[in-house]
């Protein structure tokens, strides 16, 4: 039988050039088309090298704002005059030179081949020359760039200024933590498995993980792993969830027989936690305005044999489908700038604009006002975000408390251990990236609905 010859396109380029080109395309789509990295990487989902594409693209997005200005002096014209695709390729290749284990010269060869793959063959000589000079002089180029704080940490200047205005001396801690590779953190459902059991099973597989002193259900893997390899993942005994996010359900403190609303629920990490923590709820409603994302809540719950009523609705106004409903507990995990999870989503640094914070805050205020109307007197509402911007956090909650006499701020529950490094905000609590708990950045506030006074 005749063997099919490898196609020319497979032999023409050095192995790895296509991986680099696909990663560069994803970087380009984030940088120039404003797509999220997850969406941009969907094109690579079926590729055998998808893990490598993802690692290169996310690494490049993490360091984009440090590498791009380091390359600029090597060009004989402003970067803005290059095609955006070519700039993305140069920065992606510079990332591989600076941050990958591969030999720098080999990365230059790959980039030259990749320039042909992305349709920039005419620029291949320039790519070669620029990257060779980058290899030769990157120490000096980066030293110059690193004199500037925002470039050293590869963050947009407006974000660094906003973080400094809010967090003063903690700004460097936050910026450095945002560039760390995030740990893979699991939540173990104690009704099915104890964290110790997971650790034993994981170590028996030759892997390492650690428990957290302040959260008996959390396990931090030493190295990230595919979820299919996790003992107990298939049955929902184990879920992937940052330890900061694991605080939402305990703060909510739902009890059997209660009606619970998970507002802004998709993809359902916290819905599942609520369902697993409190069997015997009277109702669990998961609401989100994105029907596609809401479908993932069902998938998440089904894995663990749980269920909830799913409602697609925009909560910036009272949806007719919920008007008149009352709940004992409401979780509002509001859409936000995601500035607390930059280590997991480095594309946030390139996607967010200064005006976004104000516009998120306006949406959050409306969602909080709508959902509070759905809270029973005596009920509890937990408002949270994965933002570190006070305007989206205590700003929203304090303004709401000031205009809503029925709402009161509640204290941290005595029965719940405080994570180390948890900061008391003027109202609510903040976890910062790089804080002692090692979590993502999160904000939480608990509100109660004052029961009507007796006549
Ligand atoms: C932070 S995410 C929620 C994460 C989720 N709670 C979890 O733990 O998996 C915020 C969610 O709010 C939804 N959302 C955004 N605007 C909304 C609105 N106006 N009404 C309802 N949901 C909204 C988004 O679609 C997104 O799924």
């Amino acid at each position: 039988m005749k063997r099919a010859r490898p196609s020319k396109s497979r032999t023409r380029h050095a192995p790895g050039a296509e991986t680099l080109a696909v990663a560069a395309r994803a970087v380009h789509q984030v940088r120039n088309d404003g797509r999220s990295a997850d969406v941009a990487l969907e094109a690579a989902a079926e590729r055998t090298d998808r893990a490598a594409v993802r690692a290169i693209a996310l690494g490049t997005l993490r360091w984009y704002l440090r590498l791009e200005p380091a390359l600029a002096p090597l060009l004989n014209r402003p970067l803005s005059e290059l095609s955006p695709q070519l700039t993305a390729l140069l920065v992606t290749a510079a990332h591989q030179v600076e941050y990958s284990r591969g030999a720098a010269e080999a990365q230059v060869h790959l980039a030259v081949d990749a320039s042909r793959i992305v349709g920039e063959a005419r620029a291949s000589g320039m790519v070669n020359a620029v990257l060779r000079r980058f290899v030769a002089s990157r120490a000096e180029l980066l030293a110059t760039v690193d004199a500037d704080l925002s470039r050293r940490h590869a963050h947009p200047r407006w974000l660094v200024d906003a973080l400094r205005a809010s967090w003063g001396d903690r700004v460097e801690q936050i910026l450095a933590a945002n560039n760390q590779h995030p740990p893979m953190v699991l939540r173990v459902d104690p009704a099915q498995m104890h964290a110790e059991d997971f650790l034993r099973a994981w170590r028996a597989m030759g892997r390492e993980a650690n428990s957290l002193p302040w959260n008996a259900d959390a396990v931090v893997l030493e190295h990230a792993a595919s979820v299919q390899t996790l003992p107990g993942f298939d049955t929902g005994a184990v879920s992937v969830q940052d330890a900061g996010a694991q605080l939402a359900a305990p703060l909510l403190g739902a009890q059997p027989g209660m009606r619970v609303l998970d507002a802004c629920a998709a993809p359902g990490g916290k819905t599942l936690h609520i369902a697993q923590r409190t069997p015997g709820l009277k109702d669990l409603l998961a609401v989100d305005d994105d029907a596609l994302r809401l479908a993932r809540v069902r998938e998440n719950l089904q894995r663990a044999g749980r269920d909830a009523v799913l409602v697609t609705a925009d909560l910036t106004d009272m949806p007719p489908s919920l008007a008149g409903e009352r709940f004992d507990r409401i979780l509002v995990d509001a859409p936000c700038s995601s500035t607390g999870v930059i280590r997991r989503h480095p594309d946030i640094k390139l996607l967010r604009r200064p005006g976004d914070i104000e516009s998120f805050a306006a949406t959050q205020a409306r969602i909080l006002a709508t959902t509070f109307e759905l809270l029973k007197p005596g009920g509890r509402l937990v408002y949270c975000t994965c933002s570190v911007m006070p305007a989206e956090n205590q700003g929203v909650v304090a303004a709401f408390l000031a205009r809503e006499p029925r709402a009161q701020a509640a204290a941290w529950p005595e029965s719940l251990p405080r994570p180390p490094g948890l900061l008391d905000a003027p109202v609510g609590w903040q976890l910062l990236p790089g804080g002692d708990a090692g979590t993502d950045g999160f904000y939480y506030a608990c509100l109660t609905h004052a029961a009507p006074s007796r006549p």
Side-chain angles (χ1 to χ4, degrees):
M1 199 170 75
K2 268 192 179 176
R3 286 247 177 107
R5 277 196 189 167
S7 71
K8 273 193 184 165
S9 66
R10 291 181 63 189
T11 52
R12 210 170 44 206
H13 310 300
E18 208 172 296
T19 308
L20 187 69
V22 175
R25 248 185 227 128
V27 168
H28 161 59
Q29 288 175 358
V30 173
R31 176 64 167 158
N32 302 296
D33 301 340
R35 294 195 196 171
S36 73
D38 284 344
V39 170
L41 285 165
E42 271 168 17
E46 302 300 321
R47 296 178 61 90
T48 51
D49 61 354
R50 59 186 173 275
V53 169
R54 188 175 175 81
I56 296 171
L58 292 187
T60 305
L61 293 168
R62 184 168 288 127
W63 291 109
Y64 197 101
L65 295 175
R66 180 177 186 237
L67 293 168
E68 192 188 65
L71 286 169
L74 302 176
L75 295 155
N76 54 13
R77 53 190 161 137
L79 261 173
S80 56
E81 288 181 16
L82 292 190
S83 84
Q85 170 68 71
L86 196 53
T87 306
L89 174 61
L90 284 172
V91 178
T92 308
H95 171 267
Q96 291 303 92
V97 168
E98 181 62 16
Y99 293 102
S100 84
R101 282 194 292 265
E105 289 72 19
Q107 301 300 333
V108 178
H109 286 302
L110 292 182
V112 171
D113 276 2
S115 68
R116 299 188 183 105
I117 296 170
V118 300
E120 296 281 356
R122 283 171 47 187
S124 60
M126 184 273 277
V127 168
N128 187 35
V130 168
L131 289 174
R132 281 193 184 289
R133 287 167 63 200
F134 180 71
V135 170
S137 54
R138 64 189 203 264
E140 302 89 82
L141 289 163
L142 288 168
T144 306
V145 163
D146 287 350
D148 177 280
L149 181 72
S150 61
R151 289 178 165 185
R152 179 161 78 245
H153 291 286
H155 280 62
R157 198 172 307 280
W158 71 266
L159 182 54
V160 174
D161 291 345
L163 289 171
R164 196 200 316 277
S166 301
W167 300 111
D169 290 347
R170 289 194 170 98
V171 65
E172 287 228 43
Q173 159 204 321
I174 297 170
L175 298 175
N178 286 349
N179 289 330
Q180 300 286 310
H181 285 266
M184 186 164 172
V185 185
L186 308 179
R187 178 178 58 75
V188 179
D189 173 18
Q192 298 184 65
M193 183 192 265
H194 288 289
E196 285 307 316
D197 301 329
F198 176 86
L199 290 175
R200 217 171 294 119
W202 196 236
R203 286 172 184 153
M205 291 166 65
R207 316 282 187 91
E208 195 40 76
N210 292 295
S211 51
L212 281 183
W214 54 274
N215 179 345
D217 300 337
V219 167
V220 183
L221 301 187
E222 196 169 84
H223 297 292
S226 136
V227 290
Q228 277 76 32
T229 63
L230 301 173
F233 182 80
D234 286 351
T235 60
V238 164
S239 302
V240 179
Q241 192 174 40
D242 185 74
Q246 293 185 32
L247 291 165
L251 281 172
L252 198 62
Q255 303 295 325
M258 285 186 167
R259 300 198 75 213
V260 176
L261 172 66
D262 185 359
C264 308
K270 299 183 186 74
T271 321
L272 177 58
H273 194 187
I274 294 166
Q276 290 185 314
R277 201 171 180 275
T278 317
L281 290 175
K282 186 169 179 207
D283 285 314
L284 177 57
L285 259 74
V287 179
D288 203 281
D289 72 341
D290 185 330
L292 281 178
R293 278 173 63 87
L294 198 58
R296 292 180 55 203
V297 178
R298 175 89 66 220
E299 289 163 21
N300 249 322
L301 291 170
Q302 272 172 351
R303 178 172 57 88
R306 307 282 167 163
D307 206 0
V309 176
L310 306 189
V311 179
T312 307
D314 178 350
L315 291 167
T316 50
D317 285 308
M318 183 60 72
S321 56
L322 291 177
E325 299 270 1
R326 291 292 178 273
F327 296 89
D328 303 280
R329 296 285 185 269
I330 298 179
L331 175 63
V332 182
D333 188 10
C336 71
S337 62
S338 306
T339 40
V341 290
I342 285 175
R343 63 180 183 170
R344 298 191 189 278
H345 301 282
D347 48 335
I348 297 289
K349 293 193 282 185
L350 300 180
L351 295 172
R352 292 286 170 265
R353 300 286 173 262
D356 292 351
I357 306 301
E358 210 178 304
S359 110
F360 276 118
T363 303
Q364 291 152 353
R366 291 181 63 171
I367 293 177
L368 179 55
T370 304
T371 48
F372 190 80
E373 291 305 319
L374 297 166
L375 190 62
K376 281 184 189 170
R380 166 188 285 254
L381 182 152
V382 172
Y383 174 89
C384 67
T385 72
C386 57
S387 166
V388 295
M389 295 299 177
E392 297 179 79
N393 297 334
Q394 63 257 35
V396 170
V397 177
F400 180 71
L401 287 169
R403 64 174 187 270
E404 176 49 77
R406 295 169 299 166
Q408 284 170 2
W412 186 268
E414 272 179 24
S415 56
L416 184 63
R418 273 177 76 106
L422 183 75
L423 302 174
D424 289 313
V427 54
W429 309 274
Q430 182 79 54
L431 285 165
L432 288 179
D436 292 344
T439 64
D440 292 341
F442 266 97
Y443 171 82
Y444 286 100
C446 296
L447 304 184
T448 52
H449 187 312
S453 50
R454 296 233 170 102

